[in-house]
Amino acid sequence: MATNAIDQTRRMLSLVTYLRERPGARVGDVARAFGITEDELIADLDVLPMCGTSFRGGDLLDIDTDGDRIWWHNPDDVAEPLRLAADEATALLVAARAVATLPGLREGDRQALLRATAKLEAAAGEAAGASARLSVTFESEGGVFADVDRAIAERRRLWLRYYSPARDELTEREVDPIRLFAVGHTYMEAWCRLSEARRTFRLDRVAEIRLLDAPADPPPVELRDLSEGLVQPAAEDPEVSIEVGPGGRWVAEYYPHDSAEELPDGGLRITLRTPDPASLRRLALRLGRDGRIVAPRELAESARQAAEQALAAYGE
């Protein structure tokens, strides 16, 4: 079963306590104790050394493994009482109060967060009073994240109204969520009942979301390796050529491409592949005078017409 971010965070917090009490613990024993694979445990151990007791780059967890045993070299240093500066305490209190208001947060988690917030307020003293005068309002993505996370945890189906920029339309669909992940933006991977296929949804494009009583039952799918990015063109995808001026050279940095040929004016001729060439019309409009699609001809003409329609709308 896919692990969501909150479940992984709980596990890693427990892992810190577990390892402190068991120096030199065997990798296999720890993995069995937490009900995860050894690869998942190693992935957690790769993250823990980036955590520590100081928000200002101080002491970090010095945990490593030789593949057989796990060693924590500075448990006594990390165990020292945490002392927060006033600005750190204020930031924590504001964030904690904001997260506690998220829709879809499980009640047990909300109560635990409120208890921790009360303890922090008591320890913060005057800083707690300053934080009470501040508030945070989440954009809609925060509520969507909470609902998706809850749906994954409770294995429930979701109903969405989702905006597709390639088609410039809102669609309604039911999906069985598989996992949440972040690659620049936050995404949900899910089995879409409308298309009967696996689809990826960007959370900030979800216009409306609702948890359903129906259980989520996605077919077994192999999770994609996202280490090379979200968009990973295939050799059989259509080829597109784009010419950009000096102000559009950033396209080569943000879009995976096959080649980028220098042009005399300081620009680039970029060749890339994409499963959905029509989605590049928005890129052409964004580039304006800094770039244009040159091939295939049908896509170039489509982008030109989209630009003319946009200009006409401004005229009206």
Side-chain angles (χ1 to χ4, degrees), residues 61-65 70-78:
L61 303 180
D62 186 4
I63 296 176
D64 65 31
T65 177
I70 304 170
W71 304 99
W72 186 353
H73 302 292
N74 63 341
D76 293 334
D77 294 338
V78 176

Side-chain angles (χ1 to χ4, degrees), residues 143-153 158 177 180 188 203 209:
V144 172
F145 181 98
D147 283 337
V148 174
D149 183 71
R150 180 180 173 187
I152 292 173
L158 288 165
L180 282 161
M188 168 182 61
L203 296 198
I209 188 170

Side-chain angles (χ1 to χ4, degrees), residues 6 27 33 41 65 113 116 131 136 164 179 210-211 213 226 232 235 267 282-283 301:
I6 292 179
V27 170
L41 174 59
T65 177
L113 180 58
S131 68
V136 173
S164 174
R179 62 170 171 169
R210 185 166 66 244
L211 274 80
D213 292 331
L226 299 172
Q232 300 173 23
R282 292 176 63 87
L283 172 62
E301 177 63 19

Side-chain angles (χ1 to χ4, degrees), residues 38-76:
E38 292 188 12
D39 287 343
E40 289 174 320
L41 174 59
I42 296 301
D44 286 350
L45 296 177
D46 288 340
V47 174
L48 284 176
M50 293 183 282
C51 307
T53 58
S54 174
F55 297 158
R56 304 182 190 280
D59 294 329
L60 300 178
L61 303 180
D62 186 4
I63 296 176
D64 65 31
T65 177
D66 59 7
D68 179 41
R69 293 181 178 274
I70 304 170
W71 304 99
W72 186 353
H73 302 292
N74 63 341
D76 293 334

